Amino acid sequence: MIPTTTELEQSILQFLYNRPDRPYCAQEMLFPLANQFRLTLEELKAEYTLQTPRHRYIFLERIQKTLGHLLSTRMIERPRRGYYSISAGGRLLLEAPTLGFPVALQLESFNDFMENLQRQAEEPVPLPPARLRRPKRILEELKEWAKK
């Protein structure tokens, strides 16, 4: 079964985290991710049924959509057009021992959250913005982790 974009998020981040040597494009991630999810050849070749002149492979488009989402949440960077590498925020998310992966991407203002973490590395920030205080347990764990 072809994975959803939410199922692909952590796999793509882990793929880029394990290969920091250079940026990768979506086509280079296609076969390693297909092997990880144990997709069959038919699932890889599955296309949308729209009447378009070009091929639109479902799995490749889901990878591209997930890359767009991770880029908007600043988990990955795009050093040049079509190529992606993991950002400092993505590394932090994967290295944080107690932070649940899907929970972090569902915070209301993840971009503000990432900016605060970057500022905290440069200068101490007393508290994150009030709208990020909802999941108190997560923020407390992040504060403890940031102190280490």
Side-chain angles (χ1 to χ4, degrees):
M1 187 169 153
I2 300 173
T4 62
T5 54
T6 40
E7 294 170 340
L8 281 169
E9 285 174 347
Q10 190 167 10
S11 297
I12 289 175
L13 270 182
Q14 197 67 45
F15 176 88
L16 294 172
Y17 181 79
N18 292 335
R19 295 166 181 84
D21 53 337
R22 66 178 182 87
Y24 289 86
C25 67
Q27 288 81 6
E28 293 172 321
M29 296 179 207
L30 181 68
F31 290 111
L33 291 173
N35 286 337
Q36 180 181 345
F37 287 102
R38 300 180 194 275
L39 296 182
T40 64
L41 189 58
E42 291 79 27
E43 290 171 328
L44 272 176
K45 288 183 173 182
E47 297 182 33
Y48 290 106
T49 57
L50 299 174
Q51 300 290 331
T52 58
R54 64 184 181 97
H55 295 288
R56 296 186 60 199
Y57 299 106
I58 296 172
F59 185 58
L60 181 60
E61 286 209 358
R62 285 195 186 165
I63 291 173
Q64 292 167 340
K65 184 178 179 181
T66 305
L67 287 168
H69 179 255
L70 290 172
L71 188 66
S72 70
T73 58
R74 297 185 184 180
M75 294 289 102
I76 60 174
E77 301 167 334
R78 188 169 45 200
R80 63 181 196 259
R81 186 176 179 200
Y83 286 82
Y84 303 89
S85 61
I86 193 162
S87 68
R91 277 190 214 93
L92 178 72
L93 184 63
L94 288 176
E95 291 169 357
T98 57
L99 182 63
F101 180 80
V103 175
L105 292 179
Q106 292 170 4
L107 289 175
E108 260 183 39
S109 180
F110 198 77
N111 290 337
D112 291 342
F113 173 72
M114 290 308 299
E115 288 172 8
N116 282 335
L117 283 179
Q118 289 171 357
R119 269 190 260 129
Q120 196 171 29
E122 299 166 5
E123 60 186 53
V125 176
L127 282 176
R131 63 182 173 267
L132 291 179
R133 292 188 196 148
R134 286 186 189 149
K136 289 183 181 180
R137 183 180 57 81
I138 294 171
L139 291 174
E140 290 169 3
E141 290 174 357
L142 279 174
K143 287 179 195 174
E144 292 295 320
W145 187 79
K147 288 178 185 176
K148 296 179 184 178

